[in-house]
Amino acid sequence: MGFLPKNVVTVKRKDFLEAIRKFRLMDDTFFNSCFDGQTDCMELLLRIVMRKPELKVIRMRTQREVPNIYGRAVRFDVFATDGKGTEYNIEVQRSDSGANPKRARFNCSMLDTMSIESGTNWEDFPPTCVIFITEHDTQGCGLPIYHVERTIRELNGKRFEDASEVIYVNATHQDKSPLGWLMHDFLCNDPAEMHYPQLAKRASFFKSDEHGVNEMCKIMEDIEKNGYKKANLPSFCAQSCGSSSATQITRTLPLTMRFPLSRSRKSPRRTTWHISHYIATFISIKDRPSIWWPVLF
């Protein structure tokens, strides 16, 4: 096996150390490392963004990968669940294209796919919230935060109670509010200048502590060498459907589903779930860039 000369390794580590010095929480690699297993940091973030000072995080995971046998998989920056059962996907986005509304739609669908167990009653579906923390004001209106919810057009914008929400947090808006301080910390590369001690402590660990710096260098080396691992998707397509192509299978599925349901089963959460299922199923069909999924009851 070959090896790198010592002087090359030294130069590479020097480059890594310089990159680590410049890292901010807005950089997803650093964000994932700092938040990995840190429920206090996640509670801080969610309490501020959701305006729920009593919110408790009962479980969380960074870089949660959700495979999709029909097409595109998703890797969540952070997945978390609070004490009331709400499921969260938190993403940091430096690029405006990464906060595309259709990506929000896709993440919502995959969050449903991952968190809803077989046999769950429609009314028991957990509330879901996808949060994008964006380096720029992607909505262009100068507001610190934007809440996106489904509404019923013919009822003067009455909320469609499907318990699903998307939030965009504008990191450029840094006033003296708790959210403004939080966004300051996300764009700050010096832990000594951060407002929140939980975040400063984690950032300092990976920037100044020998063990933290070594761990960060190892993560960067792995990413440089291997990239983010691709999902190892199950290949039951050929076994159960007689085809090795998931795309071929999806093309045989109908674009409209009809459900003769009673009033008690016409739940907004049920409707949203069917939409989510269709998005997750048909997202791989490249020659259908825009598909309308009518769900008729």
Side-chain angles (χ1 to χ4, degrees):
M1 292 180 66
F3 61 92
L4 291 174
K6 185 176 181 180
N7 63 327
V8 174
V9 174
T10 301
V11 170
K12 179 175 287 190
R13 182 174 176 83
K14 183 179 179 181
D15 291 340
F16 283 164
L17 293 177
E18 178 62 17
I20 292 170
R21 186 184 67 82
K22 295 178 180 179
F23 267 154
R24 308 161 303 163
L25 291 173
M26 187 56 67
D27 301 297
D28 62 354
T29 300
F30 195 63
F31 171 73
N32 293 328
S33 298
C34 288
F35 274 75
D36 187 23
Q38 304 300 307
T39 56
D40 58 337
C41 292
M42 183 51 56
E43 284 180 351
L44 171 72
L45 188 155
L46 289 177
R47 286 174 179 178
I48 293 172
V49 172
M50 304 304 295
R51 295 186 178 182
K52 297 180 179 179
E54 304 301 322
L55 185 148
K56 292 286 186 182
V57 172
I58 60 173
R59 63 178 176 269
M60 63 172 289
R61 181 174 172 182
T62 59
Q63 289 294 294
R64 177 69 182 269
E65 191 156 13
V66 184
N68 178 8
I69 62 168
Y70 294 111
R72 182 168 184 162
V74 66
R75 181 187 292 271
F76 294 143
D77 280 352
V78 177
F79 168 78
T81 307
D82 70 17
K84 294 186 176 181
T86 302
E87 309 277 12
Y88 299 92
N89 164 220
I90 300 93
E91 302 285 330
V92 292
Q93 288 298 325
R94 297 186 59 187
S95 168
D96 291 355
S97 62
N100 187 295
K102 293 183 180 180
R103 179 179 181 181
R105 185 184 79 177
F106 180 64
N107 278 28
C108 287
S109 70
M110 295 303 287
L111 187 57
D112 275 343
T113 300
M114 180 185 71
S115 59
I116 299 172
E117 297 180 358
S118 176
T120 303
N121 292 328
W122 303 113
E123 295 304 323
D124 295 330
F125 278 22
T128 61
C129 183
V130 175
I131 300 171
F132 289 98
I133 301 174
T134 61
E135 185 165 12
H136 308 114
D137 182 6
T138 57
Q139 307 305 310
C141 294
L143 298 177
I145 191 167
Y146 303 88
H147 295 81
V148 183
E149 298 171 341
R150 284 188 173 94
T151 61
I152 304 173
R153 188 182 308 163
E154 289 78 8
L155 299 181
N156 297 319
K158 178 183 176 182
R159 185 177 179 183
F160 185 66
E161 298 292 345
D162 63 348
S164 175
E165 184 177 24
V166 175
I167 295 175
Y168 289 89
V169 184
N170 172 18
T172 64
H173 196 283
Q174 299 180 27
D175 56 18
K176 294 183 179 181
S177 67
L179 183 60
W181 288 338
L182 181 66
M183 291 303 98
H184 167 273
D185 288 1
F186 263 72
L187 292 178
C188 180
N189 61 19
D190 184 356
E193 296 181 2
M194 290 183 173
H195 291 283
Y196 293 105
Q198 302 97 311
L199 303 181
K201 181 179 179 180
R202 287 297 289 170
S204 180
F205 173 73
F206 287 108
K207 287 174 175 283
S208 304
D209 184 272
E210 180 181 356
H211 296 292
V213 170
N214 288 338
E215 184 177 335
M216 199 73 238
C217 286
K218 178 63 166 62
I219 291 171
M220 294 170 70
E221 287 174 0
D222 289 344
I223 292 174
E224 183 182 60
K225 181 179 179 180
N226 303 315
Y228 290 114
K229 267 178 120 177
K230 293 183 179 179
N232 184 18
L233 303 181
S235 58
F236 75 82
C237 298
Q239 300 172 11
S240 60
C241 303
S243 171
S244 61
S245 170
T247 301
Q248 292 175 7
I249 296 169
T250 58
R251 283 174 176 156
T252 68
L253 298 177
L255 287 182
T256 303
M257 298 180 71
R258 292 177 173 83
F259 304 93
L261 303 176
S262 64
R263 284 183 63 88
S264 63
R265 297 185 65 197
K266 296 177 182 178
S267 163
R269 298 189 188 191
R270 178 186 173 99
T271 304
T272 300
W273 182 84
H274 281 294
I275 293 172
S276 295
H277 175 74
Y278 267 87
I279 292 170
T281 300
F282 287 96
I283 201 70
S284 64
I285 305 179
K286 296 180 180 179
D287 57 348
R288 297 182 187 176
S290 179
I291 300 176
W292 177 48
W293 293 281
V295 181
L296 305 181
F297 294 96

